Amino acid sequence: MVLACLLAIPMIAAAVDDNTVEIVYSGNTASVTVADNISSYVTVSSGTSSHVKIVQSATFSGVDKTSDNEDGEIIYVLSGQSDDGEFYMEGSYKCVVELGGLTLTNPAGPAINVQNGKRIELSAKKNTTNTIADGANEDYNGCYHAKGHTKFKGKGTLNVVGNSKHGIYSKEYIEVKNLTINITSAAKDAIHCKEYFLMESGTVNITGAGDDGIQVELKGDTSTGKTTGHEDEDSGNFYQEDGTLSISGYASKAIKADGTITYTGGTQNFDKTDVADATGIDSVWTDDATEMRVFDLLGRQAKASKSGLYIIKNGSKARKILVK
């Protein structure tokens, strides 16, 4: 059973699964269908407009948990095409935004705007290609703009065109797993987040940025440093564990971080000397072992016999290594 949402939004013939809101864009209109079991928690104020505006009730805290949705959160499934539309959602409980073949441009702001300070999972369905683009709006910071932290997942593709500010912006941390993200242009940073950035796997291609390729800021005034499982971490750190990261066509730095920049695996297709982090030391790689010396982050000469981050100096050049 499904229930067409408020304000005379047309009923969609096909049923949607529990916990699901299905949004199908078509030019200047959009059809929104809400599953019965969450209909009391979802309000749509945009009628049939392609500028979809949804409020997820503050009283919602999960319902009808399943093995695939263990927290019982709401899943917003976006598909279709609009050259003048958006997805705007407010809420106070984590949710999933799932892209199922979406082409969406908002000439007056973010294409996807999630005003929810909790964990947001942005996923692209397998074998789907999804493209979002934005327009100027001084109130927001990205073509994809999230008030909380975002986990990018899925085995599809997300293309991003950031015409106003950043391509992708999260006010808290960003994690990437499996997804392919292509950012072809951004007026400022291609990706900008706070707390930390973690690339577990997947592919990120950045081919144009008016400032940095990726920038990671502290959210607070003091760094927590790296934490176990990144729980409650606010370090300003950048991590790449696996996957392929390609960065070109940027105006400032490939990567800039308030904390440290660490690669423990994966492929880095960019100039790793063109980065900046809190150590103030470029990651310069050299195979010449003459005059090799090891220092800790306080500048004291050391032996890299214990786990931690070290600075290797070779003549006038330096690089950072992570010993596990």
Side-chain angles (χ1 to χ4, degrees):
M1 292 290 294
V2 297
L3 178 68
C5 208
L6 304 182
L7 300 181
I9 293 177
M11 178 72 75
I12 298 177
V16 297
D17 295 334
D18 281 354
N19 293 28
T20 301
V21 177
E22 185 177 84
I23 301 159
V24 181
Y25 292 88
S26 179
N28 293 324
T29 65
S31 297
V32 181
T33 305
V34 182
D36 274 345
N37 73 317
I38 54 171
S39 61
S40 62
Y41 299 108
V42 176
T43 301
V44 180
S45 62
S46 51
T48 60
S49 170
S50 55
H51 287 264
V52 176
K53 297 184 184 298
I54 292 176
V55 175
Q56 182 174 297
S57 172
T59 64
F60 181 80
S61 58
V63 65
D64 293 348
K65 300 171 176 54
T66 67
S67 59
D68 293 330
N69 186 1
E70 61 184 16
D71 295 316
E73 57 202 273
I74 295 176
I75 303 169
Y76 299 90
V77 181
L78 281 57
S79 64
Q81 184 274 336
S82 176
D83 293 330
D84 187 2
E86 66 179 306
F87 173 74
Y88 175 95
M89 193 276 284
E90 294 180 16
S92 55
Y93 191 78
K94 51 194 170 184
C95 68
V96 175
V97 178
E98 185 175 80
L99 309 182
L102 175 73
T103 301
L104 184 62
T105 298
N106 182 6
I112 298 177
N113 186 354
V114 184
Q115 292 296 304
N116 182 331
K118 300 297 184 180
R119 188 273 293 140
I120 309 302
E121 181 178 307
L122 190 287
S123 68
K125 290 184 178 181
K126 186 177 181 180
N127 298 327
T128 66
T129 298
N130 307 273
T131 301
I132 59 173
D134 70 345
N137 190 321
E138 290 301 313
D139 293 333
Y140 301 104
N141 292 318
C143 179
Y144 170 85
H145 179 108
K147 184 180 178 181
H149 39 280
T150 306
K151 293 187 176 184
F152 289 92
K153 293 185 175 183
K155 294 185 178 181
T157 298
L158 172 62
N159 301 318
V160 180
V161 181
N163 293 309
S164 180
K165 293 184 180 179
H166 309 306
I168 290 174
Y169 172 83
S170 257
K171 196 174 181 180
E172 297 174 350
Y173 68 75
I174 283 178
E175 296 182 357
V176 179
K177 185 175 182 179
N178 294 328
L179 189 66
T180 295
I181 301 175
N182 301 312
I183 303 177
T184 55
S185 67
K188 293 188 176 181
D189 304 328
I191 297 175
H192 189 112
C193 67
K194 299 184 179 182
E195 296 186 342
Y196 67 88
F197 176 95
L198 169 63
M199 185 168 178
E200 295 183 58
S201 60
T203 301
V204 175
N205 297 311
I206 295 169
T207 55
D211 198 352
D212 302 310
I214 299 174
Q215 183 174 2
V216 189
E217 289 187 279
L218 282 172
K219 185 178 181 183
D221 297 326
T222 305
S223 173
T224 62
K226 183 179 180 180
T227 64
T228 302
H230 303 289
E231 186 71 23
D232 297 323
E233 180 173 335
D234 183 12
S235 62
N237 289 348
F238 169 97
Y239 308 96
Q240 184 180 359
E241 297 178 349
D242 206 342
T244 300
L245 175 59
S246 302
I247 307 175
S248 63
Y250 53 89
S252 186
K253 295 290 184 181
I255 302 172
K256 184 177 180 180
D258 284 349
T260 59
I261 298 169
T262 305
Y263 324 106
T264 55
T267 301
Q268 297 84 39
N269 294 323
F270 55 91
D271 183 354
K272 289 191 286 189
T273 70
D274 199 11
V275 301
D277 67 11
T279 68
I281 297 174
D282 290 336
S283 298
V284 179
W285 297 83
T286 175
D287 294 327
D288 184 0
T290 61
E291 302 183 16
M292 187 78 74
R293 292 180 295 166
V294 181
F295 296 85
D296 64 19
L297 294 183
L298 295 177
R300 299 173 299 195
Q301 194 156 356
K303 293 182 178 179
S305 56
K306 296 181 179 180
S307 62
L309 189 64
Y310 294 89
I311 300 164
I312 305 297
K313 289 189 176 180
N314 186 7
S316 62
K317 295 183 178 181
R319 64 184 173 96
K320 296 187 295 295
I321 63 168
L322 181 66
V323 176
K324 289 190 170 183

